[in-house]
Amino acid sequence: MSDSQTHKTSDPKANLTEICARIETAAKRAGRSADEVSLIAVAKRQPPDRIDALLQAGHRVFGENRVQEAADKWPALKRAYPDVELHMVGPLQSNKAADAIALFDVIHSIDRMKLARKVAEEIAAAQRDPELFVQINTGEEPQKSGVMPRQADEFIRQCREELQLRISGLMCLPPIDEEASLHFALLAKIARRNGVENLSMGMSGDFETAIIFGATHIRVGTALFGDRDP
Ligand SMILES: *Cc1c(COP(=O)(O)O)cnc(C)c1O
């Protein structure tokens, strides 16, 4: 069994070139500039040599979905590449908030008041100022984290007014069996009416659609790196 056999190429540098070209094309189609779209290379469960390949190719924006895995991998890589920008894209437990704030530059998964309060406390204590995105459960899936769409406005207001959190984006993870564009459009609409500038949406299979619908951050794993370790 080999990853290189299940993915068209396991050469992350070549994949990066191809993905950047596709971002460029999608942005152009949408009348946007590719500079408005940040490509987050989601490095969870990827072998170190693939991450090194992207770093050596000059890529600096990476994502992880677990605090512990990120804490094992990234402090050393950040020493070697101080301009790395690290994004937390997975669900965050309140008891990991301090670690997450120490490590990440952007957190995409603020999804409940308990966590928002903890994050506000830890930001004050650590004198760090990570960018914060609110995750919206656009598909209203019970097993998935995220604020329900009808509660989004009130949640964002509370984060901003009561906790003084700087909410700069929204994130969603559409249901796998539904048309992603409906979810991207809903996320964009919630962002617009709340004056939120950034949209974290689109993954390996649908980032071009997400760009058409206004994504400012796309989270791409397997299309860049190849298949993940189990
Ligand atoms: C793993 C992950 C991704 C990347 O998924 P791919 O399909 O490999 O591109 C994006 N977003 C989140 C939240 C993830 O956990």
Side-chain angles (χ1 to χ4, degrees):
M1 193 191 77
S2 152
D3 284 348
S4 57
Q5 285 164 6
T6 53
H7 191 263
K8 55 187 172 350
T9 160
S10 61
D11 178 353
K13 189 174 177 209
N15 293 338
L16 178 65
T17 304
E18 188 212 309
I19 302 274
C20 288
R22 287 167 61 189
I23 291 170
E24 187 84 40
T25 304
K28 201 167 282 172
R29 266 182 62 203
R32 304 180 61 202
S33 161
D35 298 345
E36 297 167 30
V37 182
S38 175
L39 170 62
I40 303 171
V42 181
K44 67 184 182 203
R45 305 202 315 276
Q46 292 289 353
D49 60 314
R50 295 185 187 170
I51 297 169
D52 282 341
L54 281 197
L55 284 164
Q56 279 169 30
H59 195 73
R60 290 293 180 269
V61 184
F62 289 85
E64 291 285 348
N65 76 333
R66 287 170 179 273
V67 175
Q68 190 54 57
E69 185 181 343
D72 292 341
K73 284 153 78 172
W74 286 97
L77 290 172
K78 274 191 159 186
R79 278 191 295 277
Y81 300 91
D83 53 344
V84 156
E85 179 183 300
L86 200 55
H87 292 246
M88 173 58 174
V89 302
L92 182 57
Q93 292 169 274
S94 301
N95 64 6
K96 297 271 173 65
D99 292 342
I101 284 154
L103 188 60
F104 290 99
D105 302 294
V106 186
I107 297 175
H108 292 234
S109 47
I110 304 299
D111 62 356
R112 57 200 190 281
M113 262 303 138
K114 184 185 175 205
L115 174 63
R117 276 192 210 99
K118 187 76 178 148
V119 163
E121 279 172 34
E122 297 297 343
I123 283 176
Q127 307 261 306
R128 291 254 311 158
D129 194 19
E131 263 188 71
L132 302 175
F133 287 27
V134 169
Q135 182 173 353
I136 308 291
N137 188 351
T138 56
E140 306 193 27
E141 296 173 280
Q143 81 286 7
K144 208 169 260 178
S145 40
V147 177
M148 291 296 168
R150 66 184 168 281
Q151 288 157 1
D153 298 0
E154 176 60 12
F155 184 85
I156 294 164
R157 187 197 67 73
Q158 281 187 301
C159 284
R160 286 170 162 171
E161 292 178 14
E162 294 172 21
L163 301 173
Q164 269 76 57
L165 289 176
R166 192 166 58 95
I167 302 296
S168 71
L170 302 182
M171 184 268 245
C172 76
L173 205 67
I176 41 178
D177 54 350
E178 286 183 25
E179 185 59 57
S181 57
L182 301 174
H183 298 272
F184 298 156
L186 174 58
L187 198 71
K189 186 170 127 187
I190 296 171
R192 212 177 306 121
R193 71 176 183 238
N194 285 284
V196 174
E197 59 190 318
N198 293 312
L199 291 170
S200 167
M201 57 191 198
M203 318 202 312
S204 289
D206 55 18
F207 68 86
E208 286 145 313
T209 307
I211 290 169
I212 306 286
F213 281 83
T216 59
H217 294 69
I218 57 174
R219 309 179 309 266
V220 179
T222 49
L224 273 172
F225 290 109
D227 290 333
R228 282 182 278 276
D229 292 339

Coordinates of all heavy atoms in Angstrom, one line a residue, residues 148-178:
M148 N -25.2 27.3 15.3 CA -26.3 27.2 14.4 C -26.6 28.5 13.7 O -26.4 29.6 14.3 CB -27.6 26.8 15.1 CG -27.6 25.4 15.7 SD -27.5 24.2 14.3 CE -27.1 22.7 15.3
P149 N -26.9 28.5 12.4 CA -27.0 29.7 11.6 C -28.0 30.7 12.3 O -27.7 31.9 12.3 CB -27.6 29.2 10.3 CG -27.1 27.8 10.1 CD -27.1 27.3 11.5
R150 N -29.1 30.3 12.9 CA -30.0 31.3 13.4 C -29.5 31.9 14.7 O -30.0 32.9 15.2 CB -31.4 30.6 13.6 CG -31.4 29.5 14.7 CD -32.8 28.9 14.8 NE -32.7 27.6 15.6 CZ -32.2 26.5 15.1 NH1 -31.9 26.4 13.8 NH2 -32.1 25.4 15.9
Q151 N -28.5 31.3 15.3 CA -27.9 31.9 16.5 C -26.6 32.6 16.2 O -26.0 33.2 17.1 CB -27.6 30.7 17.5 CG -28.9 30.2 18.1 CD -28.7 28.8 18.7 OE1 -27.7 28.2 18.6 NE2 -29.8 28.3 19.2
A152 N -26.2 32.7 15.0 CA -24.9 33.2 14.6 C -24.8 34.7 14.9 O -23.8 35.1 15.5 CB -24.6 33.0 13.1
D153 N -25.8 35.5 14.6 CA -25.7 36.9 14.8 C -25.5 37.3 16.3 O -24.7 38.1 16.7 CB -27.0 37.7 14.3 CG -27.2 37.5 12.8 OD1 -26.3 36.8 12.1 OD2 -28.2 38.0 12.3
E154 N -26.3 36.6 17.1 CA -26.2 36.9 18.6 C -24.9 36.4 19.1 O -24.3 37.1 20.0 CB -27.4 36.2 19.3 CG -27.4 36.3 20.8 CD -27.5 37.7 21.3 OE1 -27.8 38.6 20.6 OE2 -27.2 37.9 22.5
F155 N -24.4 35.3 18.7 CA -23.1 34.7 19.1 C -22.0 35.7 18.8 O -21.2 36.0 19.6 CB -22.9 33.3 18.5 CG -21.6 32.7 19.0 CD1 -21.7 31.9 20.2 CD2 -20.4 32.8 18.3 CE1 -20.5 31.3 20.7 CE2 -19.3 32.2 18.8 CZ -19.3 31.5 20.0
I156 N -22.0 36.2 17.5 CA -20.9 37.1 17.1 C -21.0 38.4 17.9 O -20.0 38.9 18.4 CB -21.1 37.3 15.6 CG1 -20.8 36.1 14.8 CG2 -20.1 38.5 15.1 CD1 -21.2 36.1 13.3
R157 N -22.2 38.9 18.1 CA -22.4 40.1 18.9 C -21.9 39.9 20.3 O -21.1 40.8 20.9 CB -23.9 40.5 19.0 CG -24.2 41.8 19.6 CD -25.6 42.0 20.0 NE -26.0 41.1 21.1 CZ -25.6 41.3 22.4 NH1 -24.9 42.3 22.8 NH2 -26.0 40.4 23.3
Q158 N -22.2 38.8 21.0 CA -21.7 38.5 22.3 C -20.2 38.4 22.4 O -19.6 39.0 23.3 CB -22.3 37.2 22.9 CG -23.7 37.3 23.4 CD -24.1 36.0 24.0 OE1 -24.1 35.0 23.4 NE2 -24.5 36.1 25.3
C159 N -19.6 37.7 21.4 CA -18.1 37.6 21.4 C -17.5 39.0 21.3 O -16.5 39.3 22.0 CB -17.7 36.8 20.2 SG -17.9 35.0 20.4
R160 N -18.1 39.9 20.4 CA -17.5 41.2 20.2 C -17.8 42.1 21.4 O -16.9 42.8 21.9 CB -18.0 41.8 18.9 CG -17.5 41.1 17.7 CD -18.3 41.6 16.5 NE -17.5 41.4 15.2 CZ -18.0 41.5 14.0 NH1 -19.3 42.0 13.9 NH2 -17.3 41.3 13.0
E161 N -19.0 42.2 21.8 CA -19.4 43.2 22.7 C -19.1 42.9 24.2 O -18.7 43.7 25.0 CB -20.9 43.6 22.6 CG -21.1 44.3 21.2 CD -22.6 44.7 21.0 OE1 -23.4 44.6 21.9 OE2 -22.9 45.0 19.8
E162 N -19.4 41.6 24.5 CA -19.2 41.2 25.9 C -17.8 40.7 26.2 O -17.3 40.9 27.3 CB -20.3 40.1 26.3 CG -21.7 40.7 26.2 CD -22.8 39.6 26.4 OE1 -22.5 38.6 26.9 OE2 -23.9 39.9 26.0
L163 N -17.2 40.1 25.2 CA -15.9 39.5 25.5 C -14.8 40.3 24.8 O -13.6 40.0 24.9 CB -15.8 38.1 25.0 CG -16.8 37.2 25.7 CD1 -16.8 35.8 25.1 CD2 -16.5 37.1 27.2
Q164 N -15.1 41.4 24.0 CA -14.1 42.2 23.3 C -13.2 41.3 22.4 O -12.1 41.6 22.2 CB -13.3 43.0 24.2 CG -13.8 44.4 24.5 CD -15.0 44.3 25.5 OE1 -14.9 43.8 26.6 NE2 -16.1 44.8 25.1
L165 N -13.8 40.2 21.9 CA -13.0 39.4 20.9 C -13.0 40.0 19.5 O -14.1 40.5 19.1 CB -13.5 38.0 20.9 CG -13.3 37.1 22.2 CD1 -14.0 35.8 22.1 CD2 -11.8 37.0 22.5
R166 N -11.9 39.9 18.9 CA -11.8 40.4 17.5 C -12.2 39.3 16.6 O -11.3 38.4 16.3 CB -10.4 40.9 17.3 CG -10.2 41.7 16.0 CD -8.8 42.4 16.1 NE -7.7 41.4 16.3 CZ -7.0 40.9 15.3 NH1 -7.3 41.2 14.0 NH2 -6.0 40.0 15.5
I167 N -13.4 39.2 16.2 CA -13.9 38.1 15.3 C -13.7 38.6 13.8 O -14.4 39.5 13.4 CB -15.4 37.8 15.5 CG1 -15.7 37.4 16.9 CG2 -15.9 36.8 14.5 CD1 -15.0 36.1 17.4
S168 N -12.7 38.0 13.1 CA -12.4 38.5 11.8 C -12.9 37.6 10.7 O -12.8 37.9 9.5 CB -10.9 38.8 11.6 OG -10.3 37.5 11.6
G169 N -13.4 36.4 11.1 CA -13.9 35.5 10.0 C -14.9 34.5 10.5 O -15.2 34.3 11.7
L170 N -15.5 33.8 9.5 CA -16.4 32.7 9.7 C -15.9 31.5 9.0 O -15.2 31.6 7.9 CB -17.8 33.0 9.2 CG -18.5 34.2 9.8 CD1 -20.0 34.3 9.2 CD2 -18.6 34.2 11.3
M171 N -16.1 30.3 9.6 CA -15.7 29.0 9.0 C -16.8 28.1 8.9 O -17.7 28.1 9.7 CB -14.6 28.5 9.8 CG -13.9 27.2 9.3 SD -14.7 25.7 9.8 CE -13.3 25.0 10.7
C172 N -16.9 27.3 7.8 CA -17.8 26.2 7.7 C -17.2 24.9 7.1 O -16.2 25.0 6.4 CB -19.1 26.6 7.0 SG -19.0 26.6 5.2
L173 N -17.9 23.8 7.4 CA -17.5 22.5 6.9 C -18.8 21.9 6.4 O -19.5 21.3 7.2 CB -17.0 21.8 8.1 CG -16.0 20.6 8.0 CD1 -14.6 21.1 7.5 CD2 -15.8 20.0 9.4
P174 N -19.1 22.0 5.1 CA -20.5 21.6 4.7 C -20.7 20.1 4.8 O -19.7 19.3 4.8 CB -20.4 22.0 3.2 CG -19.4 22.9 3.0 CD -18.4 22.6 4.1
P175 N -21.9 19.6 4.9 CA -22.2 18.2 5.0 C -21.7 17.5 3.7 O -21.7 18.2 2.6 CB -23.7 18.1 5.0 CG -24.2 19.5 5.4 CD -23.1 20.5 5.0
I176 N -21.1 16.3 3.8 CA -20.4 15.7 2.7 C -21.4 15.4 1.5 O -21.0 15.3 0.4 CB -19.6 14.4 3.1 CG1 -20.4 13.6 4.1 CG2 -18.3 14.8 3.6 CD1 -19.7 12.3 4.5
D177 N -22.7 15.2 1.9 CA -23.6 14.7 0.9 C -24.5 15.8 0.3 O -25.5 15.6 -0.3 CB -24.5 13.6 1.4 CG -25.2 14.0 2.7 OD1 -24.8 15.1 3.2 OD2 -26.1 13.3 3.2
E178 N -24.1 17.1 0.5 CA -24.9 18.2 0.0 C -24.1 19.1 -0.9 O -22.8 19.1 -0.8 CB -25.5 19.0 1.2 CG -26.6 18.3 1.9 CD -27.2 19.1 3.0 OE1 -27.1 20.4 2.9 OE2 -27.8 18.5 3.9

